[in-house]
Amino acid sequence: MPELQVKKTDAVGFLEAAKLTLEHLAAHRLGLSQSSVDSSKELARLYGNVRRVRDYMQRCVSAYQDVVSLDLTDDDAGLLVACCRRSVEAIENRLAGTALSPDENQWLVKNRALLSDWAVAMAARPLVDLPLRSLMKVLPEAVRALSARLAEKVYDDVNQRQQFRAPQQVKQQPALRPLLAPNRLKDPRLRSLVVIDLSSLARCVRDSDYRLSTVLLASIMESAILDHAIPRRAEFGLTGTPDTWKLHEVVLQSMGEGVEPKDRSLAFHLFASRNLLHPARQMVTPAVITVASFESLHEFVSRALHELGFGAPARSLPSGFISKGDMLL
């Protein structure tokens, strides 16, 4: 969807909605495990996707700006709409509960209206329905009204809906798609490096130089994971300067349940690729980069960036983009 410019207070509301939804999904998964019911892979994937949206919103609101730019994919926008709907219901549950102070009551009503309006503005077909029970036995008027507005927006007013959807033909372009949008990085130094690396990567792939392409993949991944991890040093238990961190482990830790069995090896080889530019190390332990190994690393980086909230989930190298006969040392 097109980039959104929102007030920082609105972005904070989105962040709180994502946090609340993540807590409810976690409780739901825990309840299923305690009742000896296996939670589905779809539920685990949904949890990971909502966590990614939460992390992205945290990075956005951490910037010292009054207006926040949100660059959301259609899928992430759909998840954020679902989070807003859940938050509206939670607000209604609080309003119907214990007595609140006038100020708190006024704040909740204002936040409910804000999240409802933004949910309608961002809504597009199909709406995401969370696998969570309702917080109230009878849906309150505000929740029913929001559902009616969403249904009208998504299923009736087609022209209005298209204003908030990205052009479908973008996904059909055969050219190499960027791994991530540089403006999603909050540190200006890392953002500048990523812009340069993305441009260089496109040239190297076009010229079939997969050795340098692999090095650039590692550089892009390093910039992204630093931007993600530096504000969360305590959460990841990181000490010292970033150049001393084991970044392949930080990437895997950040991906959470999105990690696949093969990813540990891929992460290690990705960050070890910087040795390709050290002739002395190549003399001792020579490394070979094949088309297959580059494609595997590219797919891993694309998926890792998606899990961290930086990139799109689709595979960024189109099928058949690289000739299977090519090989570079």
Side-chain angles (χ1 to χ4, degrees):
M1 65 177 294
E3 184 177 90
L4 292 178
Q5 300 287 328
V6 305
K7 296 179 180 178
K8 188 168 185 176
T9 52
D10 296 357
V12 171
F14 295 158
L15 172 59
E16 294 303 320
K19 286 182 177 179
L20 174 76
T21 303
L22 199 64
E23 291 174 1
H24 290 185
L25 287 172
H28 180 53
R29 295 180 66 197
L30 179 60
L32 290 178
S33 64
Q34 291 177 343
S35 60
S36 299
V37 176
D38 292 334
S39 59
S40 66
K41 291 183 178 179
E42 287 298 323
L43 181 56
R45 185 178 298 109
L46 175 64
Y47 180 87
N49 289 338
V50 174
R51 184 188 61 196
R52 187 189 66 254
V53 171
R54 179 206 62 185
D55 291 346
Y56 174 60
M57 293 308 307
Q58 282 180 330
R59 289 198 301 274
C60 289
V61 301
S62 65
Y64 296 101
Q65 301 171 348
D66 294 330
V67 177
V68 176
S69 298
L70 300 181
D71 185 16
L72 298 167
T73 65
D74 285 353
D75 290 341
D76 287 350
L79 283 175
L80 192 54
V81 170
C83 292
C84 289
R85 295 169 64 189
R86 187 65 176 179
S87 187
V88 167
E89 185 177 356
I91 289 174
E92 283 297 292
N93 194 35
R94 286 187 62 187
L95 289 172
T98 57
L100 302 171
S101 67
D103 289 343
E104 186 175 7
N105 187 88
Q106 182 180 5
W107 181 85
L108 287 172
V109 171
K110 182 179 179 180
N111 198 37
R112 179 188 64 191
L114 172 75
L115 293 174
S116 297
D117 290 344
W118 270 116
V120 174
M122 294 186 293
R125 186 184 297 184
L127 292 174
V128 177
D129 290 321
L130 300 172
L132 299 172
R133 293 181 179 178
S134 175
L135 298 173
M136 308 176 72
K137 293 182 179 180
V138 179
L139 290 179
E141 176 61 28
V143 175
R144 295 198 302 271
L146 175 57
S147 297
R149 292 175 64 191
L150 290 170
E152 181 180 1
K153 162 73 183 299
V154 171
Y155 299 109
D156 294 337
D157 194 352
V158 177
N159 292 329
Q160 179 70 10
R161 182 180 74 243
Q162 289 177 339
Q163 296 178 16
F164 295 92
R165 290 189 65 83
Q168 293 299 315
Q169 56 265 36
V170 171
K171 297 181 180 179
Q172 299 170 359
Q173 293 295 326
L176 181 64
R177 298 174 56 202
L179 283 164
L180 77 166
N183 60 5
R184 290 199 171 193
L185 279 75
K186 297 307 174 184
D187 189 296
R189 298 163 298 180
L190 296 173
R191 188 163 56 241
S192 298
L193 288 172
V194 164
V195 170
I196 296 172
D197 286 345
L198 285 172
S199 178
S200 299
L201 176 63
R203 290 195 301 269
C204 288
V205 172
R206 184 180 63 242
D207 296 338
S208 300
D209 187 346
Y210 305 124
R211 183 177 71 98
L212 289 182
S213 295
T214 301
V215 175
L216 289 165
L217 274 182
S219 180
I220 292 169
M221 187 71 254
E222 181 171 335
S223 292
I225 193 59
L226 288 175
D227 191 77
H228 179 78
I230 287 175
R232 301 176 175 81
R233 293 170 181 261
E235 178 182 340
F236 292 121
L238 298 172
T239 58
T241 57
D243 60 308
T244 64
W245 299 346
K246 296 181 179 180
L247 293 181
H248 65 286
E249 295 182 358
V250 180
V251 169
L252 296 174
Q253 186 178 356
S254 301
M255 291 175 66
E257 296 185 7
V259 173
E260 298 180 2
K262 61 182 179 180
D263 289 347
R264 183 165 297 279
S265 174
L266 289 171
F268 175 81
H269 288 293
L270 175 69
F271 286 102
S273 66
R274 65 193 69 185
N275 292 334
L276 293 170
L277 298 181
H278 292 281
R281 294 181 182 178
Q282 287 298 295
M283 291 177 66
V284 178
T285 54
V288 176
I289 299 298
T290 66
V291 176
S293 62
F294 172 70
E295 287 189 325
S296 295
L297 290 173
H298 197 286
E299 189 275 337
F300 167 70
V301 171
S302 178
R303 185 159 42 82
L305 290 172
H306 171 62
E307 292 293 338
L308 271 62
F310 288 107
R315 186 172 179 265
S316 53
L317 274 180
S319 178
F321 188 86
I322 297 177
S323 169
K324 296 299 182 182
D326 292 335
M327 179 180 293
L328 272 168
L329 296 182

